[in-house]
């Protein structure tokens, strides 16, 4: 065969292979994707989503590579808000021949890129990763036959992951940040070695709320001998680095059945250097750790052996020892000397109640000042027994000569001498005398400040005294930032609080302050923002759920949000996540405010306030500038200067910035405008224009009472009368959050206020009447005017009813009065003549009187008829002008 033919054959073969490699993903994509979806739907009871599936053969040769992008697994039911896994990319390599044959798809390797996995266990023991569908044995067999995806792993890998394990049933928490892990082994074999390598940048482990590891760096190489038939995993030679501490593990784990795990492991510190152990303490493991001098013996070892399942634990023991320890930083004058700690935690049989924690001695010296203690805990489940001692004096200033504290100032003396011995059962029975506790904790001239401290803290004096019944706080004097505090009081049931579940801590305190700057205490303002902008973004204040405190408070000045409060005094009760105000009185906005009510944060998404306010002689303008509720629902206050008093009940839900949710606001009360001037208010300006007068553009109010109610976002005003000289106006209606309004106005308007056309029409009508009757009737000084005020505060609309109709009615009334007057005059004259005739002759007088009376009545009727000339009966066709 010639070289040319060989070359052509090789080229064609290469083209065929490359074409096959390029086409394979497309040929098998639909089949593989269908199998992936079938496997998920068959086996998983969760919400599983992924955006795209990509296939490749060239880059993953000799395997067929499958990439699932943006894979998420979300829980359901109790875990509906949990995302179990969020994996930006999941890469799986499949055996090519298994795909071509189509009988099964063998998974050779798996790689998770930047996975975020949250494994959670509820207090009930239910786990969010328990998402496999429940099945019978028949269903399981059917599922096995249906699913073509088979595990034949030889490699798996996690790249830059974050995994959190949060077990509420055990009180255990572990977080692994920046996790990189890989394992190599042939999972198709019954016996094989799995070689694993792991690094974690930040490892945190907590148990029962106590952090045992905090952001520790871990690296580990663990070979594991695996027996798949026996489900036994044995550890080979290994080392685990925790910061500078090196540990080694030995032993095995076995799972002979679905319920039990057989544990037989030991661990110990491979080195006995104290400095390696100190690297686990976050406060010490910093950039200056390498320069720290530490000496002394260190030992740490432990073991666990037995069965772990839902009912039992393996037996275990831990032993910890430090002897002749010393820690000193170069450049600092003092050291921690003579460190000696011995601690043993032992459980002989796996029964948790048989665990004993024993620290028979603890000693160290800050310079030359000793600190000693001991701790013994027994029967932690059935009847916890505690024997504890802590005694020593600490010069905080000396700490700065022991530990590097750049940019921080610390000083003061803390003196402690506390002893406690007893069983929990004594507390349960209220036999506090049998739980012996005594001692004190005293702080003097404590000062803490620096560049990294939000605000300086100063405690000139404080003393805490312990006895079986309570903890007493006396002589506390403190200053935090600008705020100062003086307090004394007691915690009355602290032993019950420590040993019993769901018992709130009860206490009584007297608190005084010259200045309480709440804005500063809640956090510094954001750089570049004004104080107003910062305080407008307050966050929800959560009232603690586990305390029941009664506080008597007295503060000379309180700064909160944009409120400047003076002379605040009263009682506060903190209970059930609610803060109660009792007879609180304070000065603000040039007035005096009293309040009784509550603020509740039982629902932190919608806190609630329910308060009765009493306000005396407060500035209207300052109230408008301060309270958003007044700005939105009483905009007239912007144009009003003066003072007011009020009594009102206010309840509302609050948003996340502690502002009222106006749709939920309900307010009812009565207000007394003591003295005020309203000027520049557009609705009054518009009303003045409609009445063709400038007399109403400025109103003066004195001792003006009004009832009001705010509900459903509306300020409803009860009927009220406003007077100005001879002018009066009855007002009734509402205005809303959107500044819209609807008010009915019934006014008595002085005729002098009205336009000349209105007065001319009325005068002409009355002149005709006087001309006909020869009378001299005059119109009244006021005219009744009805109006409807609508629109918005800035763009009001005034509609006035016909004023002329009222003038015509007034003329008719005058005519009727004229007729009645004339009739009465004629009747009086007739009666006088009758009386004269009666004196002459009773008989003649009676006859004459009857005749004369008829004649007088007839004559009077004719005279009235002639004079009126049908004036009253004639229909008026002239109407007065309507004011628009």
């Amino acid at each position: 065969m010639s070289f040319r033919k060989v070359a052509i054959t090789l080229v064609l073969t290469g083209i065929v292979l490359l074409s096959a490699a390029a086409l394979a993903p497309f040929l098998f994509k639909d089949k593989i994707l269908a199998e992936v979806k079938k496997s998920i739907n068959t086996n998983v009871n969760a919400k599983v989503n992924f955006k795209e599936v990509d296939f490749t053969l060239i880059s993953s040769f000799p395997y067929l590579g499958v990439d699932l992008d943006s894979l998420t697994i979300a829980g359901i039911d109790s875990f509906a808000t949990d995302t179990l896994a969020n994996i930006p990319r999941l890469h799986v390599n499949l055996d090519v021949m298994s795909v071509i044959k189509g009988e099964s798809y063998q998974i050779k390797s798996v790689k998770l890129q930047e996975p975020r996995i949250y494994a959670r266990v509820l207090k009930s023991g239910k786990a969010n990763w328990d998402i496999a569908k429940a099945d019978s044995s028949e269903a399981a067999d059917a599922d096995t036959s249906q699913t073509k995806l088979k595990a034949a792993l030889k490699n798996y890998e996690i790249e830059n992951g974050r995994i959190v394990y949060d077990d509420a049933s055990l009180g255990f928490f572990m977080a692994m940040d920046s996790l990189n892990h890989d394992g190599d082994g042939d999972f198709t074999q019954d016996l094989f070695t799995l070689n694993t390598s792991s690094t974690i940048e930040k490892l945190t482990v907590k148990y029962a709320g106590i952090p045992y590891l905090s952001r520790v760096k871990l690296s580990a190489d663990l070979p594991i001998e695996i027996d798949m038939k026996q489900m036994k995993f044995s550890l080979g030679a290994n080392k685990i680095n925790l910061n500078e501490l090196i540990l080694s593990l030995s032993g095995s784990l076995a799972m002979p059945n679905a319920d039990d795990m057989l544990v037989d492991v030991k661990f110990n510190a491979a080195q006995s250097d104290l400095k390696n152990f100190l690297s686990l303490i976050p406060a010490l493991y910093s950039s200056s750790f390498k320069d720290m001098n530490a000496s002394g013996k260190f030992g740490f070892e432990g073991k666990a052996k037995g069965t772990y399942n839902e009912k039992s634990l393996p037996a275990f023991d831990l032993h910890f020892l430090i002897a002749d320890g010393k820690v000193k930083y170069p450049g600092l004058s003092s050291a921690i000397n003579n460190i000696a700690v011995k601690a043993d935690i032992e459980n002989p049989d796996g029964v948790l109640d048989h665990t004993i924690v024993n620290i028979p001695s603890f000693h160290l010296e800050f310079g030359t000042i000793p600190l000693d203690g001991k701790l013994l805990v027994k029967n932690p489940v059935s009847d916890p027994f505690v024997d504890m001692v802590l005694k020593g004096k600490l010069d905080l200033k000396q700490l700065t000569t022991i530990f590097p504290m750049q940019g921080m100032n610390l000083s003061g003396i803390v003196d402690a001498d506390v002893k406690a011995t007893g069983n929990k059962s004594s507390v349960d029975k209220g036999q506090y005398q049998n739980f012996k506790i005594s001692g004190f904790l005293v702080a003097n001239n404590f000062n803490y400040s620096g560049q990294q401290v939000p605000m300086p803290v100063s405690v000139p004096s404080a003393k805490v005294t312990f006895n079986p019944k309570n903890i007493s706080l006396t002589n506390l004097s403190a200053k935090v930032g600008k705020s100062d505090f003086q307090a004394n009081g007691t915690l009355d049931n602290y032993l019950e609080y420590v040993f019993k579940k769901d018992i709130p801590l009860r206490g009584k305190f007297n608190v005084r302050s010259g200045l309480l700057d709440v804005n500063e205490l809640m956090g510094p303002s954001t750089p570049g923002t004004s104080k107003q902008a910062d305080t407008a973004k307050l966050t929800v204040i959560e009232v603690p759920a586990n305390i029941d405190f009664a506080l008597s408070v007295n503060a000379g000045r309180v700064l909160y949000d944009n409120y400047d409060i003076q002379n605040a005094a009263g009682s506060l009760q903190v209970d059930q996540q609610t803060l109660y105000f009792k007879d609180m009185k304070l000065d603000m906005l040039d007035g005096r405010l009293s309040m009784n009510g509550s603020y509740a944060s039982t629902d932190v998404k919608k806190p609630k306030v329910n308060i009765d306010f009493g306000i005396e002689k407060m500035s209207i303008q300052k109230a408008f500038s301060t309270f958003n509720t007044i700005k939105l629902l009483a905009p007239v206050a912007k144009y009003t200067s003066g003072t007011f008093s009020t009594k009102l009940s206010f309840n509302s839900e609050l948003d996340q910035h502690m502002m009222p949710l106006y749709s939920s606001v309900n307010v009812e009360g009565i207000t007394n405008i003591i003295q005020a001037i309203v000027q520049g208010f557009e609705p009054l300006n518009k009303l003045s224009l409609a009445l063709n007068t400038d007399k109403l553009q400025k109103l003066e109010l004195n001792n003006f009472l009004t009832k009001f109610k705010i509900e459903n976002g509306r300020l409803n005003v009860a009927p009220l009368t406003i007077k100005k000289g001879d002018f009066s106006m009855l007002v009734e209606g509402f205005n809303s959050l959107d500044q819209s309004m609807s008010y009915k106005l019934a006014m008595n308007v002085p005729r002098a206020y009205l336009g000349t056309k209105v007065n001319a029409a009325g005068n002409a009508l009355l002149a005709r009447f006087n001309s006909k009757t020869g009378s001299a009737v005059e119109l009244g000084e006021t005219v009744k005017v009805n109006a409807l005020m609508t629109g918005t505060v800035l763009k009001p609309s005034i509609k006035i009813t016909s004023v002329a109709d009222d003038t015509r009615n007034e003329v008719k009334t005058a005519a009727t009065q004229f007729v009645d007057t004339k009739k009465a005059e004629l009747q009086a004259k007739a009666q006088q003549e009758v009386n004269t005739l009666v004196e002459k002759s009773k008989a003649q007088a009676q006859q004459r009187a009857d005749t004369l009376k008829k004649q007088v009545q007839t004559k009077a009727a004719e005279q009235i008829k002639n004079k009126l000339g049908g004036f009253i009966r004639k229909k008026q066709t002239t109407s007065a002008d309507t004011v628009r």
Side-chain angles (χ1 to χ4, degrees):
M1 181 180 292
S2 66
F3 174 78
R4 182 180 179 185
K5 289 183 178 181
V6 172
I8 291 173
T9 301
L10 291 174
V11 170
L12 290 175
T13 302
I15 291 173
V16 170
L17 291 174
L18 289 173
S19 299
L23 291 173
F26 299 99
L27 294 174
F28 300 107
K29 179 176 181 179
D30 292 340
K31 291 183 178 181
I32 295 173
L33 183 58
E35 286 302 322
V36 170
K37 291 182 176 179
K38 180 189 292 184
S39 179
I40 292 172
N41 292 329
T42 301
N43 298 299
V44 175
N45 191 19
K47 298 177 183 177
V48 181
N49 291 299
F50 52 87
K51 287 186 177 179
E52 295 182 7
V53 178
D54 292 327
F55 295 87
T56 180
L57 182 60
I58 297 175
S59 62
S60 60
F61 191 81
Y63 302 117
L64 175 63
V66 182
D67 290 324
L68 271 69
D69 289 342
S70 301
L71 172 65
T72 60
I73 304 174
I76 59 175
D77 300 330
S78 302
F79 304 103
T81 59
D82 288 357
T83 299
L84 171 60
N86 185 349
I87 306 171
R89 171 157 289 194
L90 171 64
H91 180 79
V92 178
N93 283 331
L94 303 177
D95 180 80
V96 175
M97 294 307 298
S98 70
V99 175
I100 293 173
K101 291 179 180 180
E103 295 177 358
S104 65
Y105 301 154
Q106 295 183 5
I107 301 173
K108 292 295 186 180
S109 67
V110 177
K111 181 178 181 180
L112 285 69
Q113 292 181 310
E114 299 185 358
R116 300 294 181 263
I117 298 173
Y118 177 48
R120 182 182 174 211
V121 182
L122 301 178
K123 286 186 176 181
S124 63
K126 186 176 182 181
N128 69 344
W129 66 81
D130 187 12
I131 57 177
K133 288 185 176 179
D135 51 26
S136 63
S137 58
E138 293 181 1
D141 293 339
D143 290 344
T144 302
S145 62
Q146 290 173 3
T147 302
K148 293 184 178 181
L149 292 173
K150 305 295 182 183
L153 280 178
K154 291 189 176 182
N155 173 267
Y156 66 91
E157 183 179 354
I158 298 174
E159 179 182 290
N160 193 26
R162 172 175 167 79
I163 298 178
V164 174
Y165 176 70
D166 188 358
D167 192 333
S169 66
L170 298 176
F172 181 82
F173 175 87
M174 179 171 65
M176 295 178 283
D177 285 302
S178 299
L179 165 66
N180 290 282
H181 173 84
D182 64 78
D184 294 302
D186 190 350
F187 284 82
T188 63
Q189 302 297 315
D190 291 336
L191 295 171
F192 67 96
T193 299
L194 176 65
N195 293 303
T196 67
S197 178
S198 306
T199 62
I200 302 173
E201 284 297 316
K202 297 174 184 177
L203 172 64
T204 297
V205 177
K206 298 179 182 179
Y207 181 68
I210 300 173
Y212 289 90
L213 296 175
S214 179
R215 301 165 70 86
V216 170
K217 185 175 182 178
L218 176 145
S219 63
D221 293 313
L222 292 176
I224 304 173
E225 300 292 335
I226 298 179
D227 183 343
M228 295 298 292
K229 286 187 176 181
Q230 302 296 325
M231 286 301 290
K232 185 175 182 179
F233 308 88
S234 302
L235 297 170
N238 60 79
K239 69 173 184 176
I240 302 171
N241 290 71
L242 297 173
N243 285 346
E244 306 295 326
L245 180 65
I246 301 176
L247 298 176
S248 64
L249 281 172
S250 62
S252 64
L253 300 174
M255 292 182 287
N257 53 58
D259 298 323
D260 298 330
M261 179 184 293
L262 303 182
V263 179
D264 186 3
V265 296
K266 296 179 180 180
F267 68 89
N268 70 316
Q271 299 178 358
S272 58
D273 190 343
L274 175 61
K275 186 173 181 179
N276 293 331
F277 165 72
L278 295 177
S279 72
L280 299 182
I281 303 175
L284 298 180
Y285 194 64
S286 60
S287 59
S288 59
F289 181 79
K290 64 181 182 298
D291 300 323
M292 182 182 73
N293 296 318
S295 60
K297 296 179 181 180
F298 166 71
F300 183 44
E301 63 180 13
K303 64 181 180 180
K305 186 174 183 179
T307 302
Y308 174 79
N309 55 35
E310 291 184 356
K311 297 181 179 179
S312 67
L313 292 171
F316 60 90
D317 60 66
L318 301 172
H319 304 285
F320 179 88
L321 175 69
I322 297 176
D324 301 323
K326 180 178 181 179
V327 176
K328 186 179 186 302
Y329 282 90
L332 297 179
S333 59
S334 192
I336 304 177
N337 298 307
N338 300 319
I339 304 172
V341 181
K342 187 178 186 298
D344 299 299
I345 303 176
E346 298 180 341
N347 182 289
D349 52 14
V351 178
L352 198 58
D353 194 41
H354 296 168
T355 303
I356 297 175
V357 178
N358 187 19
I359 305 176
S361 64
F362 169 85
H363 176 86
L364 58 82
E365 297 169 9
F366 290 100
T368 59
I369 301 175
L371 178 65
D372 292 278
K374 73 172 187 177
L375 175 65
L376 175 64
V377 178
K378 297 189 296 184
N379 311 322
V381 178
S382 62
D383 186 14
F385 171 82
V386 176
D387 184 6
M388 183 271 291
V389 173
L390 179 64
K391 182 177 183 180
K393 184 178 290 187
L394 183 61
D395 185 345
L396 299 178
K397 181 68 174 178
Q398 191 176 38
L399 285 183
T400 63
T401 67
I402 297 174
F403 300 106
M405 299 182 183
Q406 296 181 354
M408 183 185 300
N409 299 313
L410 182 65
S411 64
I413 301 294
V414 177
D415 192 0
D417 187 354
V418 181
K419 298 178 181 179
T421 304
N423 288 86
K424 175 180 178 292
S425 57
S426 298
V427 178
D428 293 340
K429 298 174 183 178
Q431 298 171 350
Y432 301 110
Q433 70 279 3
N434 295 332
F435 194 101
K436 302 184 183 302
I437 183 169
S438 62
F440 62 84
L441 179 66
V442 177
N444 287 300
N445 300 317
F446 173 83
N447 291 284
Y448 179 48
S449 62
Q451 296 176 353
Q452 304 301 318
V453 181
M455 60 197 77
V457 178
S458 173
V459 183
S461 64
K463 183 175 182 180
V464 177
T465 304
F466 299 87
N467 64 61
K469 289 188 176 181
N470 59 41
I471 297 176
S472 298
L473 172 66
T474 57
N475 198 32
L476 171 63
S477 176
K479 189 171 184 180
V480 181
K482 300 174 186 175
S483 303
D484 63 272
F485 305 89
Q486 298 81 45
N488 59 72
T490 60
L491 294 174
D492 297 324
N493 67 328
Y494 71 100
L495 288 176
E496 285 184 297
Y497 176 75
V498 171
F499 288 113
K500 291 184 178 181
K501 291 183 178 180
D502 303 322
I503 296 294
L505 180 62
R506 294 192 300 272
K508 298 178 182 178
F509 294 92
N510 298 310
V511 182
R512 301 183 307 280
S513 175
L515 171 63
L516 184 60
D517 190 341
V518 180
N519 296 327
E520 182 186 49
L521 294 175
M522 291 180 68
S525 59
T526 304
T529 61
S530 66
K531 183 176 181 180
Q532 267 192 333
D534 178 64
T535 56
K537 295 182 179 179
L538 297 171
T539 56
V540 170
I541 299 174
E542 293 191 42
V543 181
N546 57 344
I547 65 173
D548 181 3
F549 284 0
L551 300 99
S552 174
V553 298
N554 191 311
R557 187 182 184 193
V558 180
L559 302 177
Y560 173 69
D561 197 8
N562 58 342
Y563 308 148
D564 189 345
I565 300 168
Q566 311 282 338
N567 303 319
S571 298
L572 300 176
Q573 182 78 30
V574 182
D575 187 22
Q576 300 293 327
Q577 292 183 277
T578 302
L579 175 63
Y580 296 93
F581 305 93
K582 298 182 179 180
D583 298 323
M584 283 295 299
K585 290 180 170 50
L586 48 94
D587 297 334
M588 63 183 296
L589 309 179
D590 298 338
R592 183 72 169 163
L593 183 146
S594 61
M595 54 194 295
N596 286 276
S598 63
Y599 163 80
S601 62
T602 47
D603 181 358
V604 294
K605 293 182 179 179
K606 288 185 178 180
K608 294 183 179 180
V609 291
N610 189 352
I611 302 176
D612 292 334
F613 288 101
I615 298 175
E616 297 178 11
K617 300 179 180 179
M618 184 174 286
S619 165
I620 296 174
Q621 276 293 299
K622 290 184 178 181
F624 175 83
S625 300
T626 303
F627 301 117
N628 285 332
T629 304
I630 294 179
K631 289 179 181 178
L632 290 172
L633 290 172
V636 67
K638 180 179 180 180
Y639 308 93
T640 306
S641 60
T643 57
F644 74 101
S645 296
T646 187
K647 289 185 178 180
L648 61 89
S649 296
F650 178 94
N651 69 78
S652 173
E653 294 176 347
L654 305 180
D655 64 17
Q656 292 300 291
H657 300 300
M658 297 293 286
M659 300 303 293
L661 292 171
Y662 292 104
S663 60
S664 70
V665 171
N666 287 285
V667 181
E668 187 170 1
I670 182 169
T671 294
N672 177 23
I673 307 297
I674 300 171
Q675 179 278 324
I677 296 176
V678 184
Q679 191 170 11
F681 188 46
E682 187 59 22
L684 284 181
N685 293 341
K686 198 80 170 184
L687 180 61
S688 296
L689 182 63
L691 295 176
N692 194 28
T693 180
D694 61 356
K695 304 295 185 182
L696 301 180
Q697 293 180 356
K698 178 179 179 181
L699 284 180
E700 295 184 6
L701 304 174
N702 292 283
N703 295 318
F704 177 75
L705 291 174
T706 176
K707 291 182 179 180
F708 62 91
K709 179 184 289 187
I710 299 174
E711 58 184 354
N712 300 320
R714 281 185 175 183
L715 171 64
N716 299 288
V717 178
L720 60 94
T721 301
I722 299 173
K723 293 184 178 181
K724 181 180 181 180
D726 293 334
F727 171 83
S728 66
M729 177 168 61
L730 180 66
V731 181
E732 181 181 6
F734 68 87
N735 56 271
S736 302
L737 285 170
D738 59 4
Q739 302 294 286
S740 63
M741 59 182 177
S742 178
Y743 284 98
K744 294 178 181 179
L745 311 178
M747 298 172 283
N748 287 323
V749 183
R751 190 170 294 279
Y753 283 19
L754 300 176
T756 56
K757 289 184 179 181
V758 174
N759 284 321
N763 290 332
L765 189 62
L766 193 61
R768 291 170 57 193
F769 172 79
N770 288 334
S771 176
K772 288 285 187 178
T773 61
S775 62
V777 177
E778 295 181 354
L779 292 175
E781 294 298 323
T782 61
V783 177
K784 291 182 179 179
V785 179
N786 294 324
L788 182 64
M789 182 184 293
T790 56
T792 66
V793 171
L794 297 179
K795 292 184 178 180
S797 175
I798 306 294
K799 182 178 180 181
I800 297 180
T801 59
S802 174
V803 180
D805 287 344
D806 192 73
T807 304
R808 185 185 306 113
N809 291 335
E810 191 171 354
V811 173
K812 288 182 179 180
T813 300
T816 301
Q817 291 175 348
F818 174 78
V819 171
D820 291 341
T821 300
K822 287 297 183 180
K823 186 174 181 180
E825 289 177 356
L826 291 174
Q827 287 178 340
K829 184 177 180 182
Q831 186 63 45
Q832 185 178 2
E833 292 183 8
V834 169
N835 291 338
T836 302
L837 292 175
V838 168
E839 292 179 359
K840 294 181 179 180
S841 171
K842 285 186 179 180
Q844 290 179 350
Q846 183 64 42
Q847 183 178 6
R848 177 65 177 165
D850 292 340
T851 302
L852 186 58
K853 186 175 183 180
K854 291 181 181 180
Q855 291 175 351
V856 169
Q857 290 176 343
T858 301
K859 186 176 180 180
E862 289 177 354
Q863 287 180 353
I864 291 171
K865 181 177 180 181
N866 292 335
K867 286 186 175 293
L868 290 177
F871 180 82
I872 295 176
R873 294 189 303 273
K874 185 178 179 181
K875 183 178 181 181
Q876 300 296 325
T877 58
T878 305
S879 62
D881 293 337
T882 300
V883 179
R884 302 184 184 277

